[in-house]
């Protein structure tokens, strides 16, 4: 949250005293001795609030209020007034001032009003960013593909986590796209217009971590493979998070984090701090129905980049994709799509004598086998995963000569 307060008062002694009060409360005073000196800072994107004397030579607090509302009607202006000017100050509130305080005011009263004003300003600016985000589309829908329940669940989780403003821990198997999900979290948040900075955690010492946090200030810093961050840098990161950094930290890992904590590779306090809002990316083996969707998208993307027409993706091609385990997940599927688009994929010679029904049967057989492989030969579990009645599932196994026991561990 911004802590900036534009402090406008023609009395230098009062101005300095107020600035000191703000600094002691960890606020950031920006001082000006007149409206003219403050004018250039009063803009629609000013992320702080204004504290101004009502009575000043030349352009007074009323003029400043009128100007500020013309720039941004939601910019909080708090007026300081003498005892005889209270009716005038109340009139200013009726014209849009956030509040007024009688001079001399107690520091506690001043800070309470400023805290309310700063929270109000933050909410206004956050809502504007979110509205702008909605107007430009939903990054989760644009960048995270798949029609499965797990894919939809991932998008929903990303959207929920994005608006929390807390630290995030993104995990998944190699190739699932951890850095991409981290970026989508950033783009779905109120920080979307601020920097998104990516760093390999293993390469960061304390000084480099501090530089990265500053570079991503007001935005998001993604730390790839947090378990590889040097121990001293982990302690420094934990301290920064506990002290309230202005940078949102999104950490990523494809390793067993509990084991990393046990082995002393990952600071346990840092792990539990990050693990408050986890996002786990499901692997392709958990959602095979998304494989054709992702592959088609990657083929279209690769073909466009290469300036080529996208080749036909036949049922036989899909069947071949579905029959594979894809330990490299989306990254491996993307590479396959690039080779396919360029005509470099190693594929079986298509049987041109097969009709559509026969080709679709190949796809169905591959889906059945894949489900049994994931369920380790447990037919009931496989049937539930495919959302098929048990009798229908067993009938299909019989039709294709598939035996569930062949997929059980020996």
């Amino acid at each position: 949250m911004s802590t900036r307060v534009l402090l406008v008062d023609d009395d230098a002694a009062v101005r300095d005293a107020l600035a000191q009060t703000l600094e002691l409360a960890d606020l950031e005073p920006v001082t000006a001795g007149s409206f003219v000196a403050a004018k250039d800072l009063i803009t629609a994107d000013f992320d702080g609030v204004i504290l101004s004397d009502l009575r000043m030579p030349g352009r007074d607090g009323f003029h400043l209020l009128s100007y500020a509302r013309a720039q941004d009607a939601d910019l909080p202006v708090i007026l300081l007034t003498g005892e005889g000017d209270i009716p005038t100050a109340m009139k200013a509130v009726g014209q849009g001032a956030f509040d007024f305080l009688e001079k001399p005011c107690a520091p506690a009263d001043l800070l309470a009003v400023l805290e309310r004003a700063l929270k109000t300003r933050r909410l206004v600016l956050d809502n504007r960013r979110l509205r702008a985000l909605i107007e430009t589309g939903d990054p989760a829908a644009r960048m995270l593909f798949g029609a499965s329940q797990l894919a939809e669940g991932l998008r929903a989780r990303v959207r929920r986590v994005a608006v929390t403003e807390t630290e995030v821990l993104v995990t998944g198997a190699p190739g699932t796209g951890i850095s991409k999900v981290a970026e989508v979290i950033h783009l779905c948040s109120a920080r979307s217009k601020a920097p998104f900075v990516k760093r390999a955690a293993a390469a960061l010492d304390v000084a480099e971590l501090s530089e990265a946090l500053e570079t991503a200030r007001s935005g998001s810093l993604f730390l790839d493979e947090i378990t590889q961050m040097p121990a001293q840098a982990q302690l420094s990161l934990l301290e920064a998070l506990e002290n309230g950094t202005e940078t949102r930290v999104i950490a990523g890992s494809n390793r067993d984090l509990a084991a990393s904590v046990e082995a002393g590779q990952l600071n346990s306090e840092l792990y539990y701090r990050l693990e408050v809002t986890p996002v786990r990316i499901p692997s392709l083996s958990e959602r095979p129905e998304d494989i054709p969707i992702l592959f088609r998208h990657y083929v279209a993307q690769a073909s466009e980049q290469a300036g080529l027409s996208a080749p036909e993706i036949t049922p036989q091609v899909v069947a071949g994709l579905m029959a594979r385990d894809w330990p490299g997940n989306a990254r491996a599927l993307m590479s396959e799509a690039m080779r396919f688009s360029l005509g470099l994929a190693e594929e079986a010679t298509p049987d041109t004598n097969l009709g559509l029904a026969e080709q679709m049967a190949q796809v169905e057989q591959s889906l059945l086998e894949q489900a049994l492989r994931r369920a380790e030969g447990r037919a009931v579990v496989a049937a539930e995963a495919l959302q098929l009645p048990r009798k229908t599932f067993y009938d299909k196994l019989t039709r294709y000569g598939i035996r569930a026991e062949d997929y059980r561990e020996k």
Side-chain angles (χ1 to χ4, degrees):
M1 182 179 77
S2 173
T3 58
R4 288 208 296 169
V5 179
L6 176 56
L7 174 56
V8 187
D9 198 307
D10 63 302
D11 188 323
V14 172
R15 190 169 65 243
D16 291 345
L18 287 171
Q20 185 177 35
T21 298
L22 300 184
E23 288 172 346
L24 289 172
D26 292 328
L27 299 181
E28 182 184 348
V30 181
T31 60
S34 66
F35 164 75
V36 173
K39 179 181 178 181
D40 289 344
L41 294 173
I42 304 174
T43 61
D45 59 357
F46 179 65
D47 61 357
V49 300
I50 301 173
L51 177 64
S52 174
D53 192 11
L54 180 60
R55 298 294 182 185
M56 294 184 294
R59 305 294 176 88
D60 61 8
F62 263 112
H63 183 84
L64 183 148
L65 173 63
S66 176
Y67 181 84
R69 287 186 58 76
Q71 305 308 307
D72 183 352
D74 295 318
L75 178 56
V77 177
I78 302 159
L79 296 172
L80 295 170
T81 179
E83 182 178 355
D85 287 327
I86 291 179
T88 306
M90 293 179 67
K91 178 183 175 184
V93 171
Q95 295 180 4
F98 184 84
D99 207 339
F100 73 91
L101 291 163
E102 185 180 352
K103 294 192 297 185
C105 58
D109 295 338
L110 172 63
L111 295 175
V113 173
L114 287 174
E115 183 179 0
R116 282 196 299 112
L118 285 166
K119 285 183 177 179
T120 300
R121 185 60 174 164
R122 180 188 63 180
L123 288 173
V124 166
L125 294 180
D126 284 354
N127 285 336
R128 286 180 184 173
R129 294 188 190 103
L130 288 173
R131 282 199 300 271
L133 189 64
I134 291 171
E135 291 170 0
T136 57
D138 177 7
R142 291 202 316 268
M143 300 173 68
L144 302 178
F145 303 102
S148 67
Q149 290 184 349
L150 286 175
E152 185 53 46
L154 174 63
R155 288 190 288 268
R157 178 72 174 171
V158 163
R159 294 183 188 110
R160 286 196 302 270
V161 166
V163 299
T164 64
E165 288 296 304
T166 60
E167 294 80 42
V168 184
L169 181 59
V170 183
T171 60
T176 50
I178 291 174
S179 64
K180 182 179 182 181
V181 169
E183 184 175 6
V184 174
I185 291 171
H186 171 76
L187 292 174
C188 285
S189 74
R191 299 171 179 258
S192 60
K193 301 300 181 183
F196 176 71
V197 177
K198 295 190 286 187
R199 292 287 188 273
L204 294 179
D205 58 23
V206 172
E208 290 166 331
L209 172 63
S210 179
E211 181 274 332
L213 288 168
E214 182 61 29
T215 301
R217 187 176 182 181
S218 298
S220 304
L221 172 63
F222 172 62
L223 298 172
D224 190 24
E225 199 46 70
I226 190 67
T227 63
Q228 299 302 296
M229 177 179 278
Q232 195 59 44
Q234 289 188 35
L235 289 173
S236 182
L237 175 60
L238 179 60
E239 182 179 4
L241 294 176
E242 291 180 341
N243 289 338
T245 177
E246 290 189 40
T247 302
R248 183 181 201 177
V249 173
I250 305 174
S253 178
N254 56 35
R255 305 195 178 195
D256 184 335
L257 295 182
S260 296
V261 171
E262 185 70 22
Q265 296 174 325
L266 179 61
N267 182 286
S268 60
E269 292 296 322
L270 178 59
Y271 167 64
Y272 291 121
R273 175 72 188 239
L274 296 172
E275 205 254 346
V276 172
T277 46
V279 174
R280 178 184 169 276
I281 309 171
S283 61
L284 285 184
S285 63
E286 298 174 81
R287 49 183 185 127
E289 60 269 44
D290 287 336
I291 291 174
I293 296 171
L294 291 169
F295 188 73
R296 288 189 178 93
H297 170 75
Y298 295 148
V299 167
Q301 190 177 57
S303 299
E304 182 179 355
Q305 291 174 351
L308 301 171
S309 297
E312 180 186 3
I313 303 174
T314 65
Q316 188 173 19
V317 171
V318 173
L321 296 172
M322 299 296 291
R324 295 168 60 177
D325 290 333
W326 299 105
N329 289 287
R331 176 60 60 186
L333 187 64
M334 185 183 300
S335 297
E336 179 69 17
M338 291 180 66
R339 290 191 292 270
F340 181 79
S341 301
L342 297 173
L344 301 176
E346 296 179 4
E347 53 182 336
T349 303
D351 187 347
T352 55
N353 294 320
L354 290 179
L356 178 61
E358 290 82 359
Q359 294 182 58
M360 293 303 295
Q362 287 185 340
V363 175
E364 184 175 58
Q365 181 176 346
S366 294
L367 285 169
L368 293 168
E369 292 170 345
Q370 183 77 6
L372 283 170
R373 189 176 293 111
R374 291 198 314 275
E376 298 178 346
R378 292 171 294 176
V380 173
V381 175
E384 290 177 351
L386 293 175
Q387 300 180 18
L388 288 174
R390 293 183 189 179
K391 183 179 185 305
T392 302
F393 182 76
Y394 283 114
D395 287 344
K396 289 180 181 295
L397 294 186
T398 301
R399 181 189 309 165
Y400 295 115
I402 300 172
R403 300 192 315 163
E405 55 267 28
D406 291 342
Y407 295 87
R408 295 172 190 154
E409 291 186 4
K410 305 301 182 183

